Amino acid sequence: MEVGADTRALVTGASSGIGRALARQLAARGARVGLVSRSRAELEALAAELPGDGHVALPCDVADRAAVEAAVAAFAERAGGLDLAVANAGVAFYGPFRELAPERIERMTAVNWLGTVWTARAALEPMVAAGRGHLAIVSSGAAQRSFPDAAVYGATKSAQRAFGEALWHELAGTGVGLTVVYPGEIATALHDHEKERMPVWYRGGPRAADPDALAEAVLAAIGDDRRAVAFPRIVGLLGIAHGLSPRLADAVLRRLRGATAAPRR
Ligand SMILES: NC(=O)c1ccc[n+]([C@@H]2O[C@H](COP(=O)([O-])OP(=O)(O)OC[C@H]3O[C@@H](n4cnc5c(N)ncnc54)[C@H](OP(=O)(O)O)[C@@H]3O)[C@@H](O)[C@H]2O)c1
């Protein structure tokens, strides 16, 4: 689906990082953008500064099904339809599984996994009824290969992957496309609350990829109706290596990120 002046796009997690970069690039291409996250003030400021007209701040917690349904319906009504939805909102809490607070496990599950499901469920209704549209799901490289100290985060991202892979087939013949996005380490605020606790294998920081470059790759993949996009490319290669042999991926990871990325048993 080509993004252009007629596109009505809703992005969750639009107040920051990847979602913000996507919202900017969508607006730059003429799209009207519905901006979802919990931070009303940030969304309103972003709606005002984006190029073009008709952008809407839709403050909402994606873990709240009724709130997501209301936000999507409100945007579709104001914009006169919905062409693109990006389920991007997410949170991360890293650390050894046995030390992870149950509330953090529940939060990641509610936001990353159920938030994606509620967004997809609400957004597909008008798109399938119209016989056209596109859903993008922002998963993670952690769905290609899950990492120690991120077991639950990786599980929520793998859930998105499994969901998107099956849904891609279910949507055959509906006119609605689907793309699952697998970002590697991207320079955003995702881990700002846990900088001191990040595992040794994590690189992040200045070596992380630019969210604008990722957003460009995502819009290109949507334009080409690709079922998946991994960015940077190494993420897709790691997924292939892991699919061929987890031991091969272990070896690659130890080489690239040191022993903590795939501890020997
Ligand atoms: N950065 C990376 O290295 C990386 C790598 C792979 C995948 N990802 C994925 O990319 C997505 C975006 O993350 P990011 O890196 O851009 O992080 P970010 O800068 O922290 O942005 C996260 C966004 O999600 C929103 N959000 C969080 N909880 C929410 C909730 N309950 N309801 C609605 N919105 C919520 C946040 O806004 P509010 O706080 O205003 O709600 C914010 O806009 C996530 O799904 C993440 O897992 C990121």
Side-chain angles (χ1 to χ4, degrees), residues 35-63:
L35 307 162
V36 174
S37 90
R38 295 163 303 172
S39 310
R40 177 186 292 274
E42 270 93 337
L43 296 180
E44 285 174 350
L46 180 61
E49 80 178 50
L50 288 178
D53 299 318
H55 311 303
V56 192
L58 303 156
C60 138
D61 184 337
V62 295

Side-chain angles (χ1 to χ4, degrees), residues 13 15-16 18 37-39 61-62 88 139 153 157 184 186 188:
S15 62
S16 171
I18 295 167
S37 90
R38 295 163 303 172
S39 310
D61 184 337
V62 295
N88 162 75
S139 171
Y153 177 77
K157 295 284 138 185
I186 311 296
T188 72

Side-chain angles (χ1 to χ4, degrees), residues 83-110:
D83 305 295
L84 170 65
V86 186
N88 162 75
V91 289
F93 299 105
Y94 278 18
F97 170 64
R98 285 176 301 134
E99 294 170 21
L100 201 56
E103 297 73 25
R104 294 187 157 186
I105 294 172
E106 285 174 347
R107 197 68 198 147
M108 283 188 279
T109 305

Side-chain angles (χ1 to χ4, degrees), residues 118-157:
W118 303 146
T119 303
R121 194 170 177 274
L124 285 175
E125 200 176 311
M127 293 197 286
V128 172
R132 61 191 290 270
H134 202 98
L135 174 68
I137 296 172
V138 180
S139 171
S140 168
Q144 302 277 335
R145 158 74 187 216
S146 204
F147 283 71
D149 276 23
V152 174
Y153 177 77
T156 63
K157 295 284 138 185

Side-chain angles (χ1 to χ4, degrees), residues 138-183:
V138 180
S139 171
S140 168
Q144 302 277 335
R145 158 74 187 216
S146 204
F147 283 71
D149 276 23
V152 174
Y153 177 77
T156 63
K157 295 284 138 185
S158 294
Q160 290 177 303
R161 174 184 182 163
F163 175 66
E165 283 177 350
L167 195 55
W168 186 82
H169 288 286
E170 281 189 33
L171 290 171
T174 63
V176 178
L178 189 152
T179 302
V180 183
V181 183
Y182 300 104

